[in-house]
Structure formats: structure tokens, C-alpha cells
Amino acid sequence: MDRMAQWAVIIPADRWATERLFHHDTVAVPGGAGPVDPDDEVLLVAGNEVVALAQAIKAEGDELVLTYVRRAFDHPAPAAELSLDDDMRIAPVDPDRFRRLAATLAGVTPKTTWLVSVALPIEATTPADAVRQFWSHALELGPAELPTYVWPSGDELAMQAFVLGEESNQDPEEDEDED
């Protein structure tokens, strides 16, 4: 019986930025197919932290395609014990160490219903024109400039603004107080 191997894979910074902004079921690592076989288990590492547990899937070419099993984007685990260096994008991991790190990702919070909103003041002649302008602005501004508001369902007072997947203060009066 073949036994799955365990790996640590460093995700490139630009791909990590995209993973934090958009929900994907898989992540592709260019040039990473090498020694990793389909069904092998993988710890996804970004910025010296383990951010997800994944499983390799069959793919064409030299891309390593991983399907997410468990994500810890908001509460990653330290990856110091993996001893990865900048030249090493993929490294085998001792099974005991792999299980220990994977277990730290098990504490991910269960899903909650969140309300997410984007509000833009738009001057238009008709509701349909306002909607068209909204989508044009949303595409133009994108996640780098357009704040998105999120709060747990039923708790509007807990609303938080996020820009680029990070909490962002949108109160101009608080910004003035800091100066």
C-alpha cells in the first residue's frame, strides 16, 4: 500500500495576496509539481506561517495544484520548526512534525453567518443607471480602495471595515486625532 507523503510548500507573495482576498477551492503553485504526488498532504506556508492544510490533486504541466482541506488565513501557525529557506519552495516534512502543525490548524472557528456590504454614494438618473455605475466603480476601485463592511448577523454594532482583506479604520475623525 502506497503511503501519502507530507510536504511544506511556500506560496509566492503575489499568490498569497490573492488567496487572502478571494475565496478559492484550490491554489496553483507554478513550477511546483516536481516530487509532490496527487493525494499527498501539504502544509501551505506564507510569510513564515502555516496558513492552510491542503491536498495535492492531479494537474497538467508543471503546476502544483492543491485543494484546501483546512484554512487558517486569519490565525496562522508559526512555521519556524519547518526550517525552510528562501531557495526551498517545496520540502518534505517529517510525519510527526506535519501532524503537530496540522493539528494547530484544527482550532479554526466554525462558520458563522456574516453580513457583508459595500455602499457607494452614486448620482444617477435611474436605478438601473446607478447599478451600472456601482459595478463600474467597484471594478475600478477593487479591493485595494473599496472598503467592505462586515458584521455578524444580528450584531450591526460589531461592523468592521476591511480593505485588502485587512481591518481598516474608515473614521476620518479618528485619523485626525492620531495626527
Side-chain angles (χ1 to χ4, degrees), residues 32-45:
V36 182
D37 291 326
D39 296 328
D40 281 357
E41 296 176 305
V42 175
L43 293 171
L44 194 62
V45 178

PDB file of all heavy atoms in Angstrom, residues 32-45:
ATOM      1  N   GLY A  32       5.773  23.841  -9.306  1.00  0.00           N
ATOM      2  CA  GLY A  32       5.883  23.092  -8.068  1.00  0.00           C
ATOM      3  C   GLY A  32       5.520  21.633  -8.136  1.00  0.00           C
ATOM      4  O   GLY A  32       5.579  20.932  -7.126  1.00  0.00           O
ATOM      5  N   ALA A  33       5.128  21.134  -9.304  1.00  0.00           N
ATOM      6  CA  ALA A  33       4.643  19.759  -9.391  1.00  0.00           C
ATOM      7  C   ALA A  33       5.694  18.749  -8.947  1.00  0.00           C
ATOM      8  O   ALA A  33       5.397  17.833  -8.195  1.00  0.00           O
ATOM      9  CB  ALA A  33       4.167  19.450 -10.806  1.00  0.00           C
ATOM     10  N   GLY A  34       6.921  18.930  -9.378  1.00  0.00           N
ATOM     11  CA  GLY A  34       8.051  18.083  -9.008  1.00  0.00           C
ATOM     12  C   GLY A  34       7.746  16.818  -8.243  1.00  0.00           C
ATOM     13  O   GLY A  34       7.095  15.911  -8.747  1.00  0.00           O
ATOM     14  N   PRO A  35       8.171  16.737  -6.989  1.00  0.00           N
ATOM     15  CA  PRO A  35       8.077  15.492  -6.235  1.00  0.00           C
ATOM     16  C   PRO A  35       6.714  15.206  -5.593  1.00  0.00           C
ATOM     17  O   PRO A  35       6.497  14.122  -5.089  1.00  0.00           O
ATOM     18  CB  PRO A  35       9.127  15.687  -5.133  1.00  0.00           C
ATOM     19  CG  PRO A  35       9.125  17.152  -4.897  1.00  0.00           C
ATOM     20  CD  PRO A  35       8.892  17.770  -6.245  1.00  0.00           C
ATOM     21  N   VAL A  36       5.807  16.161  -5.614  1.00  0.00           N
ATOM     22  CA  VAL A  36       4.521  16.000  -4.930  1.00  0.00           C
ATOM     23  C   VAL A  36       3.567  15.215  -5.819  1.00  0.00           C
ATOM     24  O   VAL A  36       3.331  15.561  -6.978  1.00  0.00           O
ATOM     25  CB  VAL A  36       3.918  17.371  -4.557  1.00  0.00           C
ATOM     26  CG1 VAL A  36       2.602  17.197  -3.808  1.00  0.00           C
ATOM     27  CG2 VAL A  36       4.904  18.180  -3.716  1.00  0.00           C
ATOM     28  N   ASP A  37       3.012  14.148  -5.267  1.00  0.00           N
ATOM     29  CA  ASP A  37       2.068  13.293  -5.995  1.00  0.00           C
ATOM     30  C   ASP A  37       0.630  13.642  -5.625  1.00  0.00           C
ATOM     31  O   ASP A  37       0.377  14.156  -4.531  1.00  0.00           O
ATOM     32  CB  ASP A  37       2.313  11.821  -5.644  1.00  0.00           C
ATOM     33  CG  ASP A  37       3.624  11.295  -6.199  1.00  0.00           C
ATOM     34  OD1 ASP A  37       4.026  11.732  -7.298  1.00  0.00           O
ATOM     35  OD2 ASP A  37       4.243  10.447  -5.519  1.00  0.00           O
ATOM     36  N   PRO A  38      -0.327  13.340  -6.516  1.00  0.00           N
ATOM     37  CA  PRO A  38      -1.729  13.535  -6.151  1.00  0.00           C
ATOM     38  C   PRO A  38      -2.035  12.799  -4.843  1.00  0.00           C
ATOM     39  O   PRO A  38      -1.509  11.714  -4.594  1.00  0.00           O
ATOM     40  CB  PRO A  38      -2.494  12.943  -7.335  1.00  0.00           C
ATOM     41  CG  PRO A  38      -1.547  13.089  -8.485  1.00  0.00           C
ATOM     42  CD  PRO A  38      -0.179  12.864  -7.894  1.00  0.00           C
ATOM     43  N   ASP A  39      -2.859  13.410  -4.014  1.00  0.00           N
ATOM     44  CA  ASP A  39      -3.278  12.915  -2.698  1.00  0.00           C
ATOM     45  C   ASP A  39      -2.252  13.138  -1.596  1.00  0.00           C
ATOM     46  O   ASP A  39      -2.551  12.891  -0.433  1.00  0.00           O
ATOM     47  CB  ASP A  39      -3.699  11.444  -2.725  1.00  0.00           C
ATOM     48  CG  ASP A  39      -4.918  11.215  -3.592  1.00  0.00           C
ATOM     49  OD1 ASP A  39      -5.769  12.126  -3.676  1.00  0.00           O
ATOM     50  OD2 ASP A  39      -5.012  10.135  -4.197  1.00  0.00           O
ATOM     51  N   ASP A  40      -1.029  13.593  -1.920  1.00  0.00           N
ATOM     52  CA  ASP A  40      -0.076  13.936  -0.865  1.00  0.00           C
ATOM     53  C   ASP A  40      -0.641  15.105  -0.066  1.00  0.00           C
ATOM     54  O   ASP A  40      -1.335  15.973  -0.606  1.00  0.00           O
ATOM     55  CB  ASP A  40       1.282  14.334  -1.447  1.00  0.00           C
ATOM     56  CG  ASP A  40       2.128  13.147  -1.864  1.00  0.00           C
ATOM     57  OD1 ASP A  40       1.695  11.999  -1.653  1.00  0.00           O
ATOM     58  OD2 ASP A  40       3.221  13.373  -2.420  1.00  0.00           O
ATOM     59  N   GLU A  41      -0.310  15.136   1.223  1.00  0.00           N
ATOM     60  CA  GLU A  41      -0.761  16.220   2.097  1.00  0.00           C
ATOM     61  C   GLU A  41       0.277  17.332   2.109  1.00  0.00           C
ATOM     62  O   GLU A  41       1.484  17.062   2.064  1.00  0.00           O
ATOM     63  CB  GLU A  41      -0.962  15.703   3.514  1.00  0.00           C
ATOM     64  CG  GLU A  41      -2.071  14.669   3.615  1.00  0.00           C
ATOM     65  CD  GLU A  41      -2.166  14.104   5.019  1.00  0.00           C
ATOM     66  OE1 GLU A  41      -1.150  13.603   5.517  1.00  0.00           O
ATOM     67  OE2 GLU A  41      -3.269  14.192   5.594  1.00  0.00           O
ATOM     68  N   VAL A  42      -0.218  18.573   2.189  1.00  0.00           N
ATOM     69  CA  VAL A  42       0.668  19.726   2.074  1.00  0.00           C
ATOM     70  C   VAL A  42       0.290  20.781   3.111  1.00  0.00           C
ATOM     71  O   VAL A  42      -0.888  21.104   3.277  1.00  0.00           O
ATOM     72  CB  VAL A  42       0.573  20.347   0.663  1.00  0.00           C
ATOM     73  CG1 VAL A  42       1.397  21.616   0.562  1.00  0.00           C
ATOM     74  CG2 VAL A  42       1.000  19.335  -0.397  1.00  0.00           C
ATOM     75  N   LEU A  43       1.306  21.309   3.789  1.00  0.00           N
ATOM     76  CA  LEU A  43       1.136  22.495   4.625  1.00  0.00           C
ATOM     77  C   LEU A  43       1.489  23.683   3.743  1.00  0.00           C
ATOM     78  O   LEU A  43       2.592  23.741   3.180  1.00  0.00           O
ATOM     79  CB  LEU A  43       2.058  22.453   5.836  1.00  0.00           C
ATOM     80  CG  LEU A  43       1.766  21.365   6.864  1.00  0.00           C
ATOM     81  CD1 LEU A  43       2.889  21.303   7.902  1.00  0.00           C
ATOM     82  CD2 LEU A  43       0.421  21.596   7.532  1.00  0.00           C
ATOM     83  N   LEU A  44       0.580  24.605   3.586  1.00  0.00           N
ATOM     84  CA  LEU A  44       0.806  25.793   2.768  1.00  0.00           C
ATOM     85  C   LEU A  44       1.406  26.876   3.661  1.00  0.00           C
ATOM     86  O   LEU A  44       0.840  27.219   4.703  1.00  0.00           O
ATOM     87  CB  LEU A  44      -0.511  26.256   2.161  1.00  0.00           C
ATOM     88  CG  LEU A  44      -0.447  27.255   1.033  1.00  0.00           C
ATOM     89  CD1 LEU A  44       0.306  26.669  -0.159  1.00  0.00           C
ATOM     90  CD2 LEU A  44      -1.846  27.647   0.608  1.00  0.00           C
ATOM     91  N   VAL A  45       2.570  27.387   3.258  1.00  0.00           N
ATOM     92  CA  VAL A  45       3.311  28.345   4.074  1.00  0.00           C
ATOM     93  C   VAL A  45       3.377  29.685   3.348  1.00  0.00           C
ATOM     94  O   VAL A  45       3.668  29.745   2.155  1.00  0.00           O
ATOM     95  CB  VAL A  45       4.743  27.827   4.354  1.00  0.00           C
ATOM     96  CG1 VAL A  45       5.548  28.824   5.155  1.00  0.00           C
ATOM     97  CG2 VAL A  45       4.687  26.473   5.058  1.00  0.00           C
TER      98      VAL A  45
END
